[in-house]
Amino acid sequence: MKKIALEEHFFTRSHLEYLRSHKGYPRLETVKGPDGRALEQLQLMPGSIQVMPQALLERLQDLGAGRLAAMDRGGIELQLLSLAGPGVEEFEVGDGTALARTINDELALAMRAHPDRFMGLATLAYADPKRAADELERCVRELGFKGGKLNSHLAGEYLDHPKYRCLFEAAQSLGVPLMLHPKDPPPAVLTALCDYPGLTQAAWGFAFDAGTHALRLIASGLFDDFPRLKILLGHLGEGLPFWMARIDNHFWRAPGARIRKKIADYVRANFIVTTSGMFGDAQLKCTREILGADHVFFAVDYPYESIEDAVRFIEAAPLSDEDREKICRGNAQRLLALPHRAAVQQEAV
């Protein structure tokens, strides 16, 4: 079965060079590993480190033969590409804005080289929200991108702040989704986790961050202002489908709730979720039953996750043929407005 994967990541040389030269957080530095050999690691913020093996860095930078071969082995006809974290929004504003444009232009070259295999989400330096909104428009209108990526909070400030409204307004006006990708939680929360480093990132901290961020956006009234806005959440919705009934049961008991609908109504109307890095039958069943198959999209989280594991999971998952086709491909064709003829051509490959 052919598949379209919606949460797949890359690095560019310009991004890596900046990270290696940056003196503050985040930065990429070389240290001596346990075996005495040099290795690179991301210093994301105080208390948060991510080791970056050379093989991973090479896969992130590969927007050619190696990546395409891995996709072919898994029956993935197309990847929606977004810059791996840390994002440019964390750099000095002028540097981040300039680097975002460079990265987007570099991704556009890869998309032109492989137009049937790669599509892109814009890298956005949203420390300057207005210029980020302008860059999103440039990428969509001039480069053919399919949306943008937001790497969650900015130094602990979440994007429900009114100054970011222009960015969401631009996405709705352009008719494209924004991916809300997690990062380490803000320092106050990270402190509660960093005694046990395995909890700070993908195991727990990421879901806490992105799930909390999504709820803040809903509770702020963002989707009352922009009812056609679509937000893409990875990892089967960062826990929100499982918690929706309890959230709705208690949210309205608190004073000051000012949104027009139930939390669950906004999740179903304004969010779509991917299978990235969540390859469990029970979790997929829960998400599909609560949100419906039309809201669930296939993704891998490549190269941080294995294409083989993701494909094995989705092809064996207890789904009807109709739902499996929607999740693997049909929903993405609709979201990305892909012409039917492109899918037919890929089937013939």
Side-chain angles (χ1 to χ4, degrees):
M1 172 179 283
K2 295 294 184 182
K3 304 164 194 73
I4 298 171
L6 286 201
E7 189 180 338
E8 319 310 320
H9 302 301
F10 72 96
F11 270 158
T12 66
R13 184 176 300 276
S14 58
H15 186 49
L16 284 174
E17 288 175 352
Y18 190 94
L19 284 167
R20 287 173 176 140
S21 65
H22 197 223
K23 302 306 181 186
Y25 292 97
R27 62 183 181 270
L28 185 62
E29 62 184 18
T30 300
V31 299
K32 185 179 291 187
D35 60 358
R37 297 181 181 180
L39 60 82
E40 289 191 287
Q41 62 183 23
L42 280 167
Q43 293 278 354
L44 296 167
M45 62 177 69
S48 179
I49 295 172
Q50 183 179 0
V51 175
M52 301 296 290
Q54 186 61 34
L56 176 61
L57 289 171
E58 290 173 358
R59 286 194 294 271
L60 281 164
Q61 293 176 84
D62 180 3
L63 291 175
R67 183 181 293 254
L68 291 171
M71 292 166 62
D72 289 342
R73 287 192 295 272
I76 295 174
E77 58 185 316
L78 186 148
Q79 284 187 343
L80 182 64
L81 295 168
S82 58
L83 184 72
V88 298
E89 75 282 351
E90 298 192 52
F91 303 146
E92 290 77 2
V93 175
D95 290 351
T97 299
L99 189 56
R101 188 179 182 95
T102 298
I103 290 167
N104 290 329
D105 288 342
E106 290 175 312
L107 178 56
L109 291 176
M111 290 164 54
R112 285 198 289 272
H114 305 285
D116 295 328
R117 309 306 302 274
F118 297 146
M119 290 188 173
L121 293 177
T123 296
L124 301 172
Y126 50 89
D128 186 333
K130 177 59 171 64
R131 292 174 74 180
D134 291 343
E135 178 64 6
L136 176 63
E137 182 171 5
R138 182 185 80 92
C139 288
V140 172
R141 296 196 186 280
E142 299 180 18
L143 304 182
F145 283 30
K146 294 298 182 177
K149 184 192 181 202
L150 304 173
N151 294 295
S152 195
H153 64 87
L154 190 58
E157 180 177 76
Y158 284 102
L159 305 188
D160 53 294
H161 191 287
K163 71 184 182 185
Y164 299 106
R165 280 298 204 266
C166 62
L167 189 51
F168 296 110
E169 182 178 13
Q172 177 174 274
S173 176
L174 293 163
V176 296
L178 294 172
M179 175 187 287
L180 181 60
H181 195 276
K183 64 171 59 161
D184 288 78
V189 177
L190 189 64
T191 300
L193 300 176
C194 65
D195 288 339
Y196 306 97
L199 296 178
T200 61
Q201 297 175 356
W204 183 248
F206 284 178
F208 177 92
D209 171 64
T212 298
H213 202 154
L215 288 172
R216 289 183 66 101
L217 295 179
I218 294 171
S220 74
L222 178 69
F223 301 103
D224 292 330
D225 293 340
F226 305 114
R228 299 189 311 280
L229 178 64
K230 297 293 184 183
I231 301 293
L232 183 65
L233 279 179
H235 319 119
L236 288 177
E238 309 291 2
L240 291 187
F242 182 85
W243 281 96
M244 271 170 36
R246 182 165 175 81
I247 291 169
D248 271 335
N249 188 33
H250 286 270
F251 178 76
W252 289 100
R253 301 183 189 187
R258 59 183 186 275
I259 53 178
R260 298 171 187 167
K261 299 183 291 187
K262 291 182 178 180
I263 297 285
D265 293 333
Y266 294 103
V267 174
R268 292 189 179 98
N270 299 103
F271 288 81
I272 52 182
V273 306
T274 78
T275 62
S276 61
M278 289 287 282
F279 309 144
D281 289 346
Q283 291 79 9
L284 177 62
K285 180 181 179 181
C286 169
T287 305
R288 181 185 58 80
E289 289 185 356
I290 291 172
L291 298 183
D294 289 343
H295 295 268
V296 183
F297 293 65
F298 176 74
V300 179
D301 209 352
Y302 181 85
Y304 299 98
E305 301 285 352
S306 159
I307 286 179
E308 291 78 9
D309 289 348
V311 167
R312 190 181 307 115
F313 157 69
I314 201 63
E315 290 185 348
L319 296 165
S320 68
D321 290 344
E322 179 183 5
D323 283 354
R324 196 183 322 276
E325 194 281 332
K326 286 181 179 180
I327 292 169
C328 285
R329 189 191 210 213
N331 292 340
Q333 286 180 282
R334 184 184 71 252
L335 176 72
L336 303 177
L338 299 180
H340 182 67
R341 60 180 175 82
V344 173
Q345 289 170 354
Q346 282 299 322
E347 290 284 12
V349 171

